[in-house]
Amino acid sequence: RFQPGQRQIYVLNVSGGEARPVTDLRGELDGPIWSPDGREIAFLYRKPRPNPVPDRNDNQVEGEGVRYRRVYAANLETGAVRPLTPEGYEIHEFAWSPDGNRLAMVAKQGETLPSGWYTAQLYTLHIDQPDTMRQLFTANRQLCGLTWSPNSQEIAFMTCLISDPP
């Protein structure tokens, strides 16, 4: 809205008024999801290139360093933005558990290329322990469409041989 070509997250009161910015970041933002308690909005975020080249949209350039797409959360009251997932994992999709304590993610460890989505695995982590990424099993097919059970005890997902990201 205020920065052409740069996505941000805004909230708007359903009874009307002006949209209020929640984030003020540079880089790639995508997939905002409210936390179950409504205090935060989580989203996928990749930091910007240190030396951007106009009209180049490749994810990784040799010698520039790896930039992982991670899950971050913005606190609606304070405006603070914090990472929820550690470096080293490219997050393709995520879902909050209904109790708000965990995330389920389709992620690829150690690879940021878009093609990693085809071989990404299912992980979970506790929100208050971001370095506790845990792979649930080894999938031999592509995963997507994560959904938690209402009691936060199970995760449903779709799997297929090959498709485009959902």
Side-chain angles (χ1 to χ4, degrees):
R1 182 175 187 187
F2 298 112
Q3 305 164 30
Q6 176 60 62
R7 289 183 178 187
Q8 298 296 341
I9 298 172
Y10 291 81
V11 292
L12 175 66
N13 189 319
V14 294
S15 62
E18 189 68 23
R20 177 176 62 88
V22 175
T23 58
D24 183 19
L25 298 169
R26 306 293 177 270
E28 300 170 26
L29 274 78
D30 201 11
I33 301 175
W34 287 95
S35 65
D37 64 9
R39 294 181 184 167
E40 293 182 296
I41 297 176
F43 54 94
L44 295 170
Y45 175 61
R46 184 187 320 274
K47 292 180 181 180
R49 265 188 200 87
N51 302 308
V53 175
D55 300 324
R56 190 177 79 193
N57 63 3
D58 51 346
N59 278 2
Q60 189 172 330
V61 175
E62 190 66 34
E64 277 192 342
V66 177
R67 299 175 310 114
Y68 288 98
R69 182 167 57 174
R70 298 166 60 188
V71 179
Y72 280 70
N75 184 297
L76 296 176
E77 187 176 312
T78 66
V81 174
R82 66 185 174 119
L84 298 181
T85 57
E87 283 285 345
Y89 294 86
E90 178 79 357
I91 310 300
H92 296 278
E93 183 180 332
F94 74 98
W96 285 98
S97 62
D99 63 14
N101 294 326
R102 292 179 288 164
L103 290 178
M105 293 152 292
V106 175
K108 179 76 174 186
Q109 186 174 13
E111 182 182 323
T112 62
L113 297 174
S115 59
W117 186 72
Y118 297 108
T119 56
Q121 300 296 315
L122 179 62
Y123 290 85
T124 60
L125 70 73
H126 286 271
I127 297 294
D128 58 350
Q129 300 168 346
D131 291 330
T132 60
M133 291 280 287
R134 188 182 114 193
Q135 186 175 339
L136 294 186
F137 69 99
T138 300
N140 60 3
R141 293 184 179 195
Q142 183 180 351
L143 306 171
C144 68
L146 303 175
T147 304
W148 286 87
S149 63
N151 66 1
S152 299
Q153 298 302 306
E154 297 178 295
I155 302 166
F157 56 88
M158 295 185 290
T159 184
C160 62
L161 289 175
I162 292 180
S163 77
D164 293 330

